[in-house]
Amino acid sequence: MAASQSVDPIRWRALFDQAMARIAGRFRRVEPRATARAYLLGLLSGVERKNCWRLAEQAGHARPGPMQRLLRSARWDADSVRDEVRAHAVDHLGGDGGVLIVDETGFMKKGRASAGVQRQYTGTAGRIENSQVGVFLAYATGRGRALIDRRLYLPEHSWCTDPERRQAAGIPNEVQFGTKPRLAWEMIAAALDAGVEAPWVTGDEAYGQDPQLRAALEARGTGYVLAVACSIRVRINSGRTPIRADTFADRLPKAAWHRQSAGTGAKGLRYYDWAWIHIGTGEHRHLLIRRNPTTRELAFYLCWSPTAAPLAELVRVAGSRWSVEECFQAAKGQVGLDHYQVRNWTSWHRHVTLAMLALAFLATVAADAAPDRPADPHHHTRGSNPISLTVPEIRHLFTAVFNPPVVSPARLLHWSNWRRRHQATARHSHYRRRSAHEASG
């Protein structure tokens, strides 16, 4: 069976060593370099909660100190490692028609000390919660997808103008307020400056509604297919009076709709009805409309490209936006993107960057192990051949490939005692602070 032959432990070890060799020069001393390797192996392991305590136990350390120092005080630059993550992903996943995808995700937090935390809406919870929000850039091609950049969103009023709070969270003085679309553009520009070949950018309404982001992309000559609200007004056929996008959609004749696939989902090809119309004065500027064949629900996109692009290409780019959601799901479910227990600005960026590297490695293995796919997307192979290796399956097999040592009962007991002692200390401190507060009240 061709697909089963792609499980190659020796090859996987070599790919992991390549990933580590790429970032090795970013660490000045051998100790944090070795700890970073152990940290990454821990993120790729089957440990349920991938925080410093659990990762140190997984690595065979007696204390979590080395892992905590790696995130907090060791001398290394997370942005430099981020650059290597981006290069690694592009080298292994790069191909024609690459798409950069911007989106955000939330990290639920308690208290108010974590950098950037406040009560704010996050799609992760689907409501307003006490959380941090990270804006991310994903890179997607036919070979795979990975997260290649990140920015921690810093709310303007509750954080940017509070020097004491900023200092306590370790936020550098040069970090100022930036809207989420502005953070997205910074990451896109950095990727393009680094030579990432991506002729397209896509994102949801939070980014599509921003005219400055669209103008910046056009000035750079980068095409976009960006979601917008149904209420957006557009000029049809250079008309003088702009009309709402949903009003125009209601007027379209049956012949204007074309059923096309937006890509492959968990249950096969995702078919929608699509319509497009030239808008404005630019030659390659369109309104793209997607209609669900079952619910009739509509979605709208503003599209621009420096050269002519067919409907099928715009549909492909629009459909690639789901890749970033798959990245978030895999990053949180497989490599502990949201498992950190840190409050500091630098520590957040370091953990997230290493989690992005772990995810990029898994995507690299998946692309390297993928069998040749048939040219016909409707082709089905009968029999017992398995599907291609998925990121979760690779992560599941990875621990066995590296054959970690069996943990002795004595070491398990040592870590249990260590955790419970520190939890007792934390509980005592909490009770003491609460009693003092109640007494003073």
Side-chain angles (χ1 to χ4, degrees):
M1 295 184 295
S4 63
Q5 295 173 355
S6 60
V7 180
D8 185 349
I10 295 177
R11 175 66 176 165
W12 289 14
R13 283 177 175 270
L15 289 172
F16 180 79
D17 290 340
Q18 287 176 15
M20 290 306 307
R22 188 181 282 273
I23 69 168
R26 302 299 185 175
F27 297 89
R28 298 185 180 184
R29 300 175 62 246
V30 66
E31 291 86 356
R33 188 182 310 146
T35 304
R37 179 184 179 89
Y39 197 97
L40 196 62
L41 284 173
L43 295 177
L44 292 165
S45 74
V47 175
E48 183 178 357
R49 293 297 299 173
K50 296 178 171 71
N51 54 47
C52 285
W53 288 12
R54 295 294 185 181
L55 297 185
E57 181 179 6
Q58 170 72 15
H61 297 171
R63 296 287 189 274
M67 297 293 187
Q68 293 170 336
R69 284 192 296 274
L70 178 71
L71 299 186
R72 185 176 56 203
S73 59
R75 299 184 65 182
W76 62 284
D77 181 24
D79 285 348
S80 296
V81 174
R82 181 273 322 274
D83 292 345
E84 299 295 350
V85 174
R86 181 176 58 211
H88 179 79
V90 172
D91 286 350
H92 289 273
L93 305 178
D96 295 336
V99 180
L100 294 174
I101 312 158
V102 291
D103 203 358
E104 62 200 62
T105 189
F107 303 87
M108 302 301 107
K109 302 296 288 185
K110 296 180 180 179
R112 61 185 307 274
S114 299
V117 71
Q118 72 169 14
R119 286 189 59 78
Q120 55 192 321
Y121 177 83
T122 168
T124 303
R127 59 184 181 273
I128 295 176
E129 286 284 355
N130 203 58
S131 62
Q132 296 169 298
V133 171
V135 182
F136 286 80
L137 183 69
Y139 175 68
T141 69
R143 288 180 54 79
R145 59 199 56 87
L147 299 174
I148 62 171
D149 206 346
R150 73 287 178 268
R151 296 287 191 279
L152 179 59
Y153 174 68
L154 198 64
E156 183 174 14
H157 299 296
S158 60
W159 278 94
C160 291
T161 58
D162 190 335
E164 292 184 4
R165 200 177 188 194
R166 289 172 59 106
Q167 183 178 10
I171 299 171
N173 292 332
E174 62 270 20
V175 175
Q176 300 300 319
F177 173 72
T179 64
K180 294 169 186 175
R182 176 63 189 178
L183 299 179
W185 169 244
E186 290 176 1
M187 294 188 291
I188 294 167
L192 297 176
D193 289 343
V196 177
E197 295 184 5
W200 292 101
V201 168
T202 188
D204 65 16
E205 291 181 20
Y207 306 93
Q209 295 285 129
D210 189 272
Q212 292 181 333
L213 175 58
R214 300 198 305 268
L217 289 169
E218 292 181 24
R220 190 69 187 249
T222 301
Y224 59 76
V225 179
L226 292 167
V228 291
C230 64
S231 59
I232 195 167
R233 292 182 175 272
V234 294
R235 286 185 171 87
I236 307 298
N237 296 324
S238 301
R240 292 184 178 181
T241 304
I243 64 173
R244 283 176 56 114
D246 53 357
T247 300
F248 173 74
D250 291 339
R251 300 174 182 174
L252 287 173
K254 183 177 180 180
W257 296 96
H258 309 273
R259 184 156 297 183
Q260 295 192 17
S261 168
T264 304
K267 298 181 180 179
L269 295 176
R270 303 189 304 260
Y271 280 102
Y272 294 92
D273 295 329
W274 301 84
W276 65 329
I277 185 68
H278 179 265
I279 60 173
T281 58
E283 184 177 357
H284 308 304
R285 195 180 303 278
H286 294 86
L287 173 69
L288 177 67
I289 309 172
R290 187 192 76 205
R291 184 177 68 189
N292 187 302
T294 303
T295 66
R296 315 296 284 182
E297 181 182 4
L298 299 176
F300 301 87
Y301 305 83
L302 289 183
C303 309
W304 178 86
S305 57
T307 58
L311 173 62
E313 178 70 353
L314 300 183
V315 169
R316 181 188 72 85
V317 177
S320 69
R321 189 168 67 85
W322 283 288
S323 295
V324 71
E325 298 294 342
E326 295 171 352
C327 284
F328 289 150
Q329 182 179 7
K332 292 182 177 182
Q334 302 300 321
V335 297
L337 181 73
D338 58 343
H339 290 190
Y340 60 88
Q341 293 179 336
V342 298
R343 297 175 175 176
N344 183 271
W345 172 274
T346 297
S347 299
W348 185 91
H349 286 84
R350 289 182 171 187
H351 168 83
V352 168
T353 301
L354 293 174
M356 286 166 46
L357 177 57
L359 181 65
F361 165 73
L362 293 175
T364 295
V365 173
D368 185 76
D372 294 333
R373 294 183 173 89
D376 180 6
H378 300 282
H379 177 86
H380 298 280
T381 302
R382 299 185 65 183
S384 57
N385 283 349
I387 65 171
S388 300
L389 284 166
T390 62
V391 164
E393 183 66 16
I394 292 169
R395 210 282 310 151
H396 176 70
L397 293 172
F398 186 78
T399 299
V401 168
F402 271 70
N403 192 25
V406 176
V407 179
S408 67
R411 181 164 292 278
L412 287 174
L413 182 60
H414 162 81
W415 271 98
S416 175
N417 289 334
W418 193 94
R419 281 192 298 272
R420 288 183 289 115
R421 284 198 304 271
H422 280 260
Q423 288 164 352
T425 301
R427 178 181 298 177
H428 175 72
S429 298
H430 173 73
Y431 288 166
R432 186 171 56 186
R433 286 195 302 270
R434 188 172 67 181
S435 297
H437 175 75
E438 291 175 351
S440 64

